[in-house]
Amino acid sequence: MYLSRFLSIHALWVTVSSVMQPYLFVWGHYDVCKSLIYTEEGKVWDYTACQPESTDMTKYLKVKLDPPDITCGDPPESFCAMGNPYMCNNECDASTPELAHPPELMFDFEGRHPSTFWQSATWKEYPKPLQVNITLSWSKTIELTDNIVITFESGRPDQMILEKSLDYGRTWQPYQYYATDCLHAFHMDPKSVKDLSQHTVLEIICTEEYSTGYSTNSKIIHFEIKDRFAFFAGPRLRNMASLYGQLDTTKKLRDFFTVTDLRIRLLRPAVGEIFVDELHLARYFYAISDIKVRGRYPQHFQYR
């Protein structure tokens, strides 16, 4: 009796394994979810790719600035309001907590209206370029699931490059260029994600959309992950199974949304005019109040 039960259970397991095998092969990089659907043949299980919820990946990163002494406040210095070069009564002092602007303030949670921010030294060494590299590093590979959002407390930079690495910072590739004048800054015609398609989604573009303006509503820079997802999952991202299928079978596409590190290269601060006002260089600097990166650690499920 026990032998017959054992053989029955074994036969059932072999049957289930053989049925599951094709699905597991297709979704090799993703967890497998199933749902009961109705077909002409009756109720059947439909197997699709699924993933755990994405999370705020800034909780797990390490940040590095280059040059390392670019943060304002050591020595203390005054800086001017962006819109008024004659209001120079603001002070940055690294030795005073209330006046300090260290890098970790780019990642502290403050809701929709942040009041703390990292700030660079001012452009007091003009005409030497004021350039900063902000490197965000994770100890693992992560898959991006939402737009990368950078909120500037100063004006958005006139020139910036967002870069990515897949090998922990050994090599870098551009993700997107940002400029008030793409042709002048990077010898590229300006484009937006709306100009792309499913066939050109991997194209590296330069956009002028986020590099002008000083008002409260023009502090944010995006790298549009969801708009690129929409080329495969539809405008409201309702067909995520189609997206996962493309990601699993197209390595270049999967790699595009995968990073180990991100690097924000600030190349020229917000000037607002054609010429730099050399009499008021304390009005030129970078200040970032928030960086949002959402993603997940990839699942590599293999049933054996």
Side-chain angles (χ1 to χ4, degrees):
M1 182 177 66
Y2 294 107
L3 179 60
S4 61
R5 286 183 180 179
F6 172 78
L7 292 175
S8 298
I9 293 173
H10 178 72
L12 178 62
W13 171 249
V14 170
T15 302
V16 170
S17 298
S18 63
V19 171
M20 288 289 289
Q21 192 61 39
Y23 298 102
L24 299 173
F25 176 77
V26 171
W27 302 107
H29 289 85
Y30 296 93
D31 220 342
V32 177
C33 292
K34 66 177 183 177
S35 58
L36 196 61
I37 63 172
Y38 292 86
T39 69
E40 294 179 355
E41 299 176 356
K43 292 188 293 184
V44 297
W45 288 108
D46 180 46
Y47 295 90
T48 58
C50 64
Q51 281 283 19
E53 292 292 327
S54 64
T55 187
D56 177 8
M57 299 307 297
T58 61
K59 295 183 292 185
Y60 311 108
L61 63 77
K62 292 181 180 179
V63 60
K64 175 185 175 184
L65 269 60
D66 184 35
D69 59 350
I70 194 62
T71 299
C72 68
D74 187 18
E77 64 174 317
S78 298
F79 59 95
C80 309
M82 283 300 304
N84 189 339
Y86 305 103
M87 291 182 59
C88 299
N89 56 349
N90 300 299
E91 186 177 2
C92 180
D93 185 349
S95 64
T96 305
E98 293 79 12
L99 300 176
H101 298 282
E104 54 265 27
L105 295 183
M106 291 185 281
F107 311 104
D108 57 332
F109 179 75
E110 297 182 296
R112 298 180 61 183
H113 303 287
S115 59
T116 62
F117 51 92
W118 164 80
Q119 184 172 312
S120 75
T122 60
W123 205 359
K124 53 184 176 291
E125 295 186 14
Y126 177 85
K128 180 182 177 180
L130 179 62
Q131 299 182 345
V132 184
N133 286 345
I134 303 173
T135 303
L136 314 179
S137 300
W138 289 268
S139 60
K140 299 180 180 179
T141 299
I142 66 169
E143 291 180 347
L144 300 174
T145 59
D146 206 337
N147 295 349
I148 298 170
V149 183
I150 306 170
T151 304
F152 284 83
E153 192 64 21
S154 62
R156 295 179 292 190
D158 282 357
Q159 296 176 17
M160 185 188 108
I161 307 174
L162 179 65
E163 296 179 326
K164 60 167 288 187
S165 176
L166 266 172
D167 54 12
Y168 303 96
R170 287 187 287 274
T171 60
W172 294 90
Q173 301 84 41
Y175 238 166
Q176 192 151 291
Y177 294 85
Y178 302 82
T180 53
D181 187 335
C182 286
L183 196 60
H184 174 75
F186 301 116
H187 308 290
M188 300 172 68
D189 291 325
K191 288 187 177 182
S192 72
V193 176
K194 296 177 182 178
D195 298 319
L196 302 178
S197 68
Q198 191 174 114
H199 302 291
T200 61
V201 68
L202 303 183
E203 180 182 343
I204 308 303
I205 65 171
C206 178
T207 179
E208 298 176 356
E209 187 174 354
Y210 302 110
S211 301
T212 57
Y214 300 95
S215 66
T216 303
N217 295 328
S218 60
K219 292 183 175 183
I220 294 176
I221 284 180
H222 285 262
F223 179 68
E224 303 92 338
I225 296 290
K226 284 192 170 181
D227 286 348
R228 289 171 167 86
F229 282 173
F231 291 124
F232 304 97
R236 297 187 179 182
L237 304 183
R238 291 180 173 176
N239 190 7
M240 293 302 287
S242 174
L243 170 65
Y244 288 142
Q246 291 291 332
L247 292 173
D248 198 60
T249 56
T250 312
K251 185 179 185 300
K252 286 185 178 180
L253 185 65
R254 185 168 67 249
D255 286 349
F256 185 83
F257 297 109
T258 303
V259 303
T260 59
D261 307 75
L262 292 169
R263 184 163 67 185
I264 303 165
R265 296 184 58 196
L266 306 172
L267 302 180
R268 180 180 170 89
V271 174
E273 302 93 10
I274 297 176
F275 301 104
V276 173
D277 182 359
E278 297 186 44
L279 297 178
H280 302 95
L281 294 175
R283 65 184 291 198
Y284 305 121
F285 53 87
Y286 304 107
I288 296 177
S289 57
D290 190 52
I291 298 177
K292 286 186 170 60
V293 182
R294 292 193 65 84
R296 61 170 67 93
Y297 293 119
Q299 299 289 325
H300 297 280
F301 267 74
Q302 292 292 335
Y303 287 77
R304 300 183 186 278

